Amino acid sequence: MTEPLSRDDVAHVAKLARLRLTEDELVRYTEQLGKILVHAQDLSSLDLHGVAPTAHPFGLVNVVRPDEVRASLDPAPVLAQAPDVEDGRFAVPRIVGEAP
Amino acid sequence: MKSALEIAAAVRGGQSALVAVEESLTAIRARNEELNVFLYVDEDGARAAAARIDEQVRRGEDPGLLAGVPIALKDNLCTTGIPTTCSSKILEGWKPPYNATVVDRLVAQGAISMGKTNLDEFAMGSSTENSAFGPTRNPLDPARVPGGSSGGSAAAVASNMTPVSLGSDTGGSIRQPAALCGLVGVKPTYGLVSRYGLIAFASSLDQIGPFAQSVSDAALLLEVIAGHDPLDSTSLPEPTPSLLAHVADGVAGKRIGLVRELVDGADEDVVRAVNKAVETLKDAGATIVELSIPELHLGLSAYYLIAPAEASSNLARFDGVRFGNRVDGEDVTAMMEATRTAGFGAEVKRRIMLGTYALSAGYFDAYYGQALKVRTRMIEAFATAYQQVDMIIGATTPSVAFEFGSKTNDPMAMYLNDVFTIPTNLAGEAAISVPFGTGEANLPIGVQLLGPGRSEARLFAAARVLEIADGRA
Amino acid sequence: MMLPNGWEMVVGLEVHTELKTKTKLFCGCANEFGSAPNSQVCPICLGLPGSMPVLNERAVELAMAIGFALNCTIQDSTFHRKNYFYPDMPKDYQVSQYDLPINARGYLDLPDGSRVSIERAHMEEDTGKTTHLGTSGRIHGADRSLVDYNRSGVPLVEIVSGPDIRNPQQARDYVAELRSILVAIGASDGRMEEGSLRVDANVSVHKPDTPFGTRCEIKNLNSLRSLTRAIEYEALRQIDVLEDGGSIRQETRHWDEDRGETSTLRVKEEAEDYRYFREPDLVDLAPDQAWKDRVLAGLPKLPAQRRRDLEALLTNPTDAQRDGVTTVVDLDLDLYVEGVAQAHGDVALAVARAANELAAANEKLANLSVANFVTTVAMEQSGQLSATQAKTVLGELLEKGGDPASVAKAKGFEQLSTDSLSATVGELITANPDEWQRFKDGDDKLAQFFIGLVMKATKGQANGKAVIAELQSRR
């Protein structure tokens, strides 16, 4: 069986997930994730054509709430829980790049 | 310690709620340092709640079904103004501005929260060794793990700190520690209990459920927390089922499937216990049908794609912007990376990366997409089985409680601990682990009873038959 | 506009509209613009751990109404998570509809007779609002940013057109028509400047009968003017690049209204891997026929039909009158014009007064009943009021209310009696014999000269038509 994932894959995934890995961790995670994915490859070999995916165990549909206003939170204690606040807003360091 | 039913009856009859609260605090003081069960003990809050209940009784009001019952809450349940950490450094010190729905329901029925219990970080683990605040020890043998991820809530009840507690079960996180600590533990039908305020691990699999010393206490507690919640879109629409009333129904005339795949690979002592349980149920009037459900073998692989995938998204919000801890960085991306790298433990990172990979472009169909189809297969396979039988019996875990460190270096060995419990989560169905006999080192063994969605009453009745035969009631 | 050397532009538009609901898409926080920062937030729209979304029924119904109005198929749909880290997005994923949107495959007919296809119109949640501290106020050069989550979770519908638009005017007509529809059905307040309607344009160029070129997506189009300018600029920019032998990169570009140019925001290679998957905290949406029928029954007459109905009341409408009708429909003044038509009044006059005087004081319409408008138009039509007087009366009614007769009287706009007018005209003829002679000799232009004198003498109270009648009778 081919190696399910490479070090580059792990580095890419860590970047997507906003995690930083040391060289050691990169090696270790590549090996560990590889072992887990070897098991996952059991699934790839199954013929599941025509089987619908299940995202939910039960087929509930149309769960909605009426468009009625409920009390919002008092901003002061909410902001007090934040790491950095200015002017009633949540403060973050410089943003590099626009939102998609 | 008395049972929840006994305490509630006494308090409703006029005994001060402080009696059970003080008893609980004494037990916590005695062993919490040794066992590391509670991350936070709400001593003042518990006493104040007890005083309020006493006042209600004095005024002639009914404080509810759990009047004065001390309870321990897994620390992934949000509690207003009380630290909620998920056993993670990233959330250390965070005080939610709201209660989980289950917490509101407990309070409404007079239960008294003693505090928050330890867990594997973000409920990812099977031994409670993955807590950022140190492992919890098994009260029955402190050299061994209590199971996980709800190890703290299991240990609280097993060490008589509280008569009952709440955990959450995504792949076995209630049933497995219940088995390892000699308790009754329930994974309710998906949607039976509101998830609102449960910090999500894998949203399509998570359910909150009870730990108790007895089947009756577990049924009572589940009855209080179950029922539709308009704040959870996946909550089942029907009203709270009647459970306690059916505990004594027995199993006469019931057809019970002994499923090979739920026993194969278990230690000998565990297999023996399951076989003995089968004989007991047969003696009580049930018909035993031997079954094979080969699809169950696929459960572990599907689970270790689906759960990490959902977790990778659920845990994205821990980014150091709105709550929790932050590690600074020169720009916002660097800040988020530094925060998450310092804040999450190794197992959480492993699962986030696994899940991110399973969802990423080019791999989605082969991994996550395929796992969702396996899930469909699993549901169909169970449905076919339930055309022949009313419930299924098997082992909860492959072995009794294991020693610290014995599986920490091999994730796959640890994951195999959940091989018997995972299928129920994938199918969204119900299962109970009930203690039945002992094995190696005189440690308890859990027998698992599985049923289709909404079959809890039936499962409690069968569990009660085993409980009586085991001499536990 | 014509592009040089036979180039043709191909434009598709993505329009995001905030829905006019009372609450947000997934929680009960108020959906209101302009409140104190972070005063309309709760565990759900702040993405606090443990919180869960529940879908707003009204938002679903408005989304379906948009689907009906755009001739879409309303289908069973699902919600997905679009995963990417950004501080204005509290959960670091956006809940949106992905492969199964609620509305698919529709079209919009424009007043010029062209048809633009609609690929989809799906629901999603808005993000919070970021303020960049530092010198420029823009993201570049800021050293710190502040986030307000009041807008986070506000319901949006994204309407995606096919690549069917071929010039800036058509793009403008498309957005204008879409905006009228969204306002008419109560889905949106249609305010582009406040950001409740946001437009992104996908622009490419090619030579007819050749494949489409590589497209660029233009963002920050905050007005119809920006939209047309940006599309034109971008098409010409791409042509320049291509004619210089270069090639177009697929990228996202930012429109700078002050400089009148677009610049690169993000190249496609840098695009994130969004890892879409079904949102496990929400269930599927499968509206049954009864629900769809209820929404359809609640749908008002759409602007195109309203314009057709009003134009049918005019005989051979001029372009100016058609424009007037468009204004009347856009500002929802149909009832005034219809009232005049029902009273068998002068519809053309009604359209003119509605599209000008009423449109200018749109926010004061509560003071003017349809009946009073009908009466004022009738007074003008009969010559009881001059055009100037009628405008003044309408202005006064809009400002302070009241009835037209009393206002006219209070303003001293009582019609000059025929005798009094006749006497005035007689005096002026005597005083200007040469001009009168030329008029009598057939120089009709002199009529205006006498009308001017009469108006001056009567301080504008005379009716022009009545003066002409008097002059003719003496000719």
Side-chain angles (χ1 to χ4, degrees):
Chain A
M1 185 165 294
T2 53
E3 276 302 307
L5 86 174
S6 66
R7 268 173 61 149
D8 285 352
D9 288 332
V10 175
H12 173 67
V13 159
K15 191 170 172 237
L16 275 180
R18 297 285 187 271
L19 293 170
R20 250 180 232 157
L21 301 183
T22 62
E23 269 306 304
D24 283 357
E25 285 174 322
L26 198 54
V27 172
R28 195 164 68 244
Y29 281 126
T30 303
E31 189 205 315
Q32 289 177 340
L33 296 183
K35 272 192 191 170
I36 300 165
L37 286 171
V38 163
H39 282 264
Q41 286 179 343
D42 298 351
L43 303 185
S44 327
S45 56
L46 294 175
D47 180 11
L48 296 172
H49 274 287
V51 178
T54 295
H56 273 295
F58 298 105
L60 291 180
V61 292
N62 299 336
V63 176
V64 292
R65 64 180 171 83
D67 185 25
E68 288 161 10
V69 176
R70 288 166 54 106
S72 292
L73 291 169
D74 177 4
V78 171
L79 291 163
Q81 296 271 310
D84 191 4
V85 162
E86 185 175 326
D87 214 8
R89 283 166 254 236
F90 297 85
V92 294
R94 192 162 70 85
I95 300 174
V96 181
E98 308 261 352
Chain B
M1 174 164 258
K2 286 180 176 162
S3 73
L5 276 164
E6 287 164 344
I7 293 170
V11 170
R12 289 164 111 176
Q15 179 188 294
S16 170
L18 269 172
V19 174
V21 164
E22 291 301 340
E23 206 179 317
S24 168
L25 287 171
T26 304
I28 293 169
R29 269 193 299 270
R31 292 194 79 185
N32 197 43
E33 206 166 310
E34 173 205 358
L35 301 175
N36 196 26
V37 172
F38 280 88
L39 298 175
Y40 181 87
V41 180
D42 190 13
E43 211 172 314
D44 295 344
R47 289 203 178 98
R52 275 197 302 277
I53 285 163
D54 286 352
E55 179 56 30
Q56 274 182 297
V57 174
R58 258 196 298 282
R59 281 200 305 264
E61 296 166 16
D62 182 359
L65 294 168
L66 293 174
V69 175
I71 188 164
L73 303 173
K74 189 176 182 179
D75 204 25
N76 58 357
L77 296 168
C78 287
T79 41
T80 310
I82 301 289
T84 301
T85 67
C86 280
S87 289
S88 182
K89 277 191 279 181
I90 209 161
L91 264 188
E92 194 174 5
W94 182 58
K95 294 176 184 173
Y98 74 110
N99 269 341
T101 295
V102 290
V103 174
D104 280 339
R105 290 193 176 173
L106 289 174
V107 170
Q109 291 297 328
I112 297 176
S113 167
M114 301 308 298
K116 310 296 287 289
T117 60
N118 201 10
L119 61 147
D120 284 300
E121 186 178 1
F122 285 101
M124 296 176 185
S126 308
S127 66
T128 318
E129 288 168 290
N130 294 334
S131 168
F133 308 118
T136 295
R137 295 180 176 279
N138 191 322
L140 307 176
D141 178 353
R144 295 176 190 252
V145 304
S149 66
S150 312
S153 282
V157 178
S159 61
N160 288 314
M161 293 178 180
T162 58
V164 288
S165 64
L166 286 187
S168 64
D169 190 316
T170 306
S173 281
I174 292 173
R175 288 160 290 161
Q176 186 255 16
L180 270 44
C181 290
L183 303 172
V184 177
V186 186
K187 200 300 274 188
T189 303
Y190 186 79
L192 186 69
V193 180
S194 168
R195 292 186 292 120
Y196 190 78
L198 165 68
I199 299 180
F201 163 13
S203 313
S204 75
L205 305 168
D206 295 342
Q207 267 293 287
I208 298 166
F211 285 100
Q213 295 277 11
S214 70
V215 172
S216 294
D217 271 6
L220 169 68
L221 183 50
L222 183 54
E223 209 170 292
V224 166
I225 60 172
H228 179 70
D229 178 11
L231 296 177
D232 174 356
S233 301
T234 63
S235 162
L236 293 174
E238 57 258 22
T240 312
S242 168
L243 299 173
L244 192 54
H246 293 287
V247 162
D249 283 0
V251 291
K254 290 280 184 286
R255 295 172 65 82
I256 300 177
L258 173 59
V259 173
R260 188 180 313 141
E261 288 78 10
L262 293 178
V263 187
D264 281 357
D267 289 353
E268 226 171 279
D269 50 356
V270 174
V271 175
R272 245 193 329 268
V274 173
N275 288 336
K276 194 173 164 215
V278 165
E279 290 308 312
T280 304
L281 293 168
K282 202 191 280 181
D283 292 347
T287 308
I288 304 298
V289 182
E290 290 199 22
L291 289 176
S292 169
I293 310 178
E295 287 83 354
L296 299 188
H297 280 315
L298 303 171
L300 196 65
S301 298
Y303 175 84
Y304 276 98
L305 294 170
I306 293 170
E310 292 181 13
S312 72
S313 175
N314 284 330
L315 269 60
R317 68 189 66 191
F318 299 91
D319 61 4
V321 176
R322 292 157 302 279
F323 54 83
N325 296 312
R326 171 187 293 189
V327 177
D328 275 323
E330 56 168 9
D331 60 48
V332 78
T333 303
M335 180 278 282
M336 286 179 178
E337 277 183 3
T339 297
R340 293 165 61 79
T341 300
F344 291 137
E347 182 62 26
V348 173
K349 287 179 190 167
R350 188 153 44 229
R351 298 209 199 183
I352 288 175
M353 286 193 291
L354 182 58
T356 304
Y357 182 72
L359 289 176
S360 66
Y363 302 104
F364 183 95
D365 289 337
Y367 290 121
Y368 188 71
Q370 195 79 347
L372 294 186
K373 290 181 176 182
V374 168
R375 199 169 176 181
T376 307
R377 275 282 192 78
M378 184 89 56
I379 290 169
E380 290 166 355
F382 271 121
T384 306
Y386 290 128
Q387 284 171 0
Q388 304 169 60
V389 297
D390 299 300
M391 68 186 88
I392 285 170
I393 189 168
T396 306
T397 59
S399 70
V400 297
F402 47 93
E403 284 172 3
F404 282 101
S406 59
K407 297 180 184 192
T408 38
N409 291 324
D410 184 356
M412 215 50 228
M414 188 68 94
Y415 296 172
L416 279 167
N417 237 276
D418 300 329
V419 68
F420 299 145
T421 46
I422 279 170
T424 296
N425 298 80
L426 289 172
E429 296 177 343
I432 292 182
S433 179
V434 59
F436 195 75
T438 54
E440 183 210 333
N442 208 28
L443 288 162
I445 290 169
V447 164
Q448 194 181 192
L449 296 160
L450 296 76
R454 306 170 172 91
S455 66
E456 281 81 358
R458 208 187 294 169
L459 301 183
F460 278 124
R464 174 72 181 145
V465 170
L466 296 180
E467 178 179 64
I468 292 170
D470 201 36
R472 300 176 63 88
Chain C
M1 108 183 258
M2 281 294 290
L3 293 178
N5 304 334
W7 289 97
E8 180 179 63
M9 70 168 70
V10 175
V11 178
L13 297 176
E14 292 171 13
V15 176
H16 283 87
T17 179
E18 285 183 347
L19 295 180
K20 235 170 72 181
T21 51
K22 290 196 195 77
T23 65
K24 295 184 178 182
L25 186 54
F26 297 124
C27 66
C29 287
N31 171 14
E32 269 172 19
F33 183 77
S35 308
N38 294 304
S39 63
Q40 286 159 2
V41 294
C42 73
I44 298 162
C45 59
L46 265 183
L48 295 188
S51 65
M52 295 177 71
V54 185
L55 187 59
N56 181 339
E57 180 177 31
R58 176 75 182 147
V60 175
E61 292 178 351
L62 289 176
M64 280 199 261
I66 290 172
F68 279 121
L70 298 177
N71 310 290
C72 292
T73 302
I74 288 150
Q75 59 184 15
D76 292 356
S77 61
T78 59
F79 289 89
H80 274 64
R81 292 185 184 178
K82 179 182 183 181
N83 294 286
Y84 63 93
F85 285 87
Y86 209 76
D88 66 7
M89 209 169 45
K91 302 179 294 292
D92 290 297
Y93 58 80
Q94 181 191 32
V95 179
S96 178
Q97 296 194 300
Y98 182 55
D99 52 354
L100 289 172
I102 183 165
N103 302 305
R105 297 175 308 279
Y107 59 86
L108 176 57
D109 287 331
L110 304 187
D112 70 2
S114 66
R115 172 170 289 187
V116 176
S117 66
I118 306 288
E119 290 181 354
R120 53 190 282 146
H122 68 262
M123 285 183 273
E124 60 186 30
E125 57 179 339
D126 209 344
T127 60
K129 217 166 180 153
T130 309
T131 313
H132 304 294
L133 299 183
T135 44
S136 68
R138 271 195 63 197
I139 193 162
H140 303 292
D143 43 30
R144 202 167 143 80
S145 297
L146 304 179
V147 196
D148 168 13
Y149 292 103
N150 281 348
R151 199 182 64 183
S152 153
V154 162
L156 295 175
V157 165
E158 179 178 349
I159 301 154
V160 182
S161 87
D164 300 345
I165 294 166
R166 291 292 175 273
N167 61 68
Q169 182 59 41
Q170 198 187 3
R172 184 194 175 96
D173 288 352
Y174 170 84
V175 174
E177 185 67 9
L178 189 54
R179 179 164 67 174
S180 319
I181 289 172
L182 294 173
V183 171
I185 64 177
S188 167
D189 61 21
R191 291 189 195 124
M192 283 184 85
E193 291 72 13
E194 279 184 11
S196 60
L197 198 71
R198 306 197 278 271
V199 183
D200 301 332
N202 285 301
V203 180
S204 66
V205 296
H206 76 143
K207 296 274 174 81
D209 304 320
T210 66
F212 287 171
T214 303
R215 60 172 204 240
C216 291
E217 184 180 2
I218 319 298
K219 291 195 177 277
N220 194 41
L221 306 173
N222 298 326
S223 66
L224 292 176
R225 184 179 135 83
S226 299
L227 173 70
T228 50
R229 289 180 71 207
I231 290 174
E232 181 169 345
Y233 173 89
E234 178 60 20
L236 292 171
R237 182 192 73 84
Q238 292 182 13
I239 292 167
D240 273 356
V241 170
L242 293 170
E243 292 194 340
D244 283 353
S247 60
I248 303 299
R249 281 189 306 186
Q250 190 172 347
E251 60 185 10
T252 306
R253 299 178 67 86
H254 176 92
W255 169 248
D256 187 321
E257 177 70 25
D258 294 334
R259 295 183 183 191
E261 57 188 41
T262 64
S263 58
T264 302
L265 262 183
R266 200 172 49 247
V267 188
K268 191 69 183 175
E269 285 80 36
E270 294 168 14
E272 279 256 23
D273 178 351
Y274 294 125
R275 290 158 282 136
Y276 281 100
F277 74 106
R278 285 269 285 276
E279 161 60 296
D281 286 333
L282 289 169
V283 302
D284 295 356
L285 207 46
D288 59 11
Q289 200 54 46
W291 195 9
K292 291 183 200 171
D293 288 348
R294 231 167 28 245
V295 172
L296 187 58
L299 215 60
K301 195 155 64 162
L302 296 178
Q305 186 60 46
R306 285 160 56 192
R307 285 195 301 267
R308 279 195 292 277
D309 291 353
L310 290 181
E311 282 170 14
L313 300 170
L314 297 161
T315 32
N316 302 322
T318 62
D319 283 353
Q321 285 170 340
R322 286 181 197 276
D323 287 350
V325 164
T326 300
T327 305
V328 165
V329 169
D330 276 353
L331 299 177
D332 214 4
L333 303 168
D334 313 36
L335 282 178
Y336 292 98
V337 176
E338 284 161 7
V340 170
Q342 274 157 25
H344 305 292
D346 183 344
V347 176
L349 182 59
V351 167
R353 290 290 162 266
N356 292 292
E357 281 65 38
L358 267 48
N362 198 21
E363 69 286 0
K364 296 171 184 160
L365 287 173
N367 291 329
L368 177 66
S369 68
V370 170
N372 283 340
F373 179 75
V374 171
T375 305
T376 311
V377 171
M379 287 166 76
E380 181 179 354
Q381 191 188 344
S382 70
Q384 224 178 314
L385 290 175
S386 69
T388 314
Q389 288 171 340
K391 291 176 187 176
T392 307
V393 168
L394 284 175
E396 187 72 9
L397 290 172
L398 285 163
E399 203 59 49
K400 297 183 182 145
D403 70 279
S406 315
V407 170
K409 190 171 179 186
K411 289 275 173 193
F413 291 163
E414 296 202 63
Q415 193 63 45
L416 289 179
S417 67
T418 313
D419 287 354
S420 165
L421 179 66
S422 180
T424 306
V425 170
E427 284 164 26
L428 291 168
I429 287 172
T430 312
N432 298 283
D434 293 348
E435 284 79 3
W436 176 243
Q437 191 56 51
R438 278 159 56 199
F439 178 70
K440 272 176 62 172
D441 291 346
D443 188 348
D444 286 340
K445 289 200 293 291
L446 268 302
Q448 283 307 317
F449 169 77
F450 282 104
I451 291 172
L453 291 178
V454 173
M455 288 298 175
K456 200 171 171 192
T458 62
K459 298 192 173 67
Q461 286 184 43
N463 181 303
K465 286 183 209 158
V467 176
I468 289 174
E470 181 66 27
L471 290 170
Q472 292 295 0
S473 73
R474 288 169 179 251
R475 208 170 190 174

